[in-house]
Amino acid sequence: MGKRVSVTNQDKNGRNTSFRDNQTHKQMTRSQFVQKIRQGKYPNYEVRKINGIDTPVSKPDSTTNNNLD
């Protein structure tokens, strides 16, 4: 199985702005993805405050299936 979530768009600074759930094929904005992570729908991801912005990141571990592309 491949990665659960892929990045589909970044802003000019390289911040990920759009995501795709590869199981459901749904597109999400950063804020939608953050909300779903907080609801527990993506247990392999967490939210960190980076430069004052809630940012979805994969949980660090020894696997690669949860890393964002």
Side-chain angles (χ1 to χ4, degrees):
M1 183 171 144
K3 298 179 190 305
R4 172 73 191 266
V5 177
S6 297
V7 176
T8 58
N9 198 23
Q10 295 181 335
D11 66 15
K12 64 181 176 135
N13 298 317
R15 183 177 293 278
N16 300 335
T17 58
S18 299
F19 304 84
R20 179 178 188 266
D21 183 317
N22 295 313
Q23 286 182 348
T24 65
H25 307 288
K26 292 192 183 235
Q27 292 285 103
M28 299 175 277
T29 64
R30 183 180 62 243
S31 61
Q32 289 170 327
F33 189 28
V34 164
Q35 182 179 20
K36 290 183 184 290
I37 292 169
R38 288 184 170 147
Q39 292 170 349
K41 297 186 184 206
Y42 294 92
N44 290 327
Y45 299 88
E46 62 188 22
V47 178
R48 292 188 189 157
K49 190 81 76 176
I50 299 174
N51 295 326
I53 298 172
D54 289 336
T55 305
V57 298
S58 59
K59 288 186 178 175
D61 59 24
S62 60
T63 67
T64 59
N65 68 342
N66 62 349
N67 293 338
L68 294 170
D69 288 338

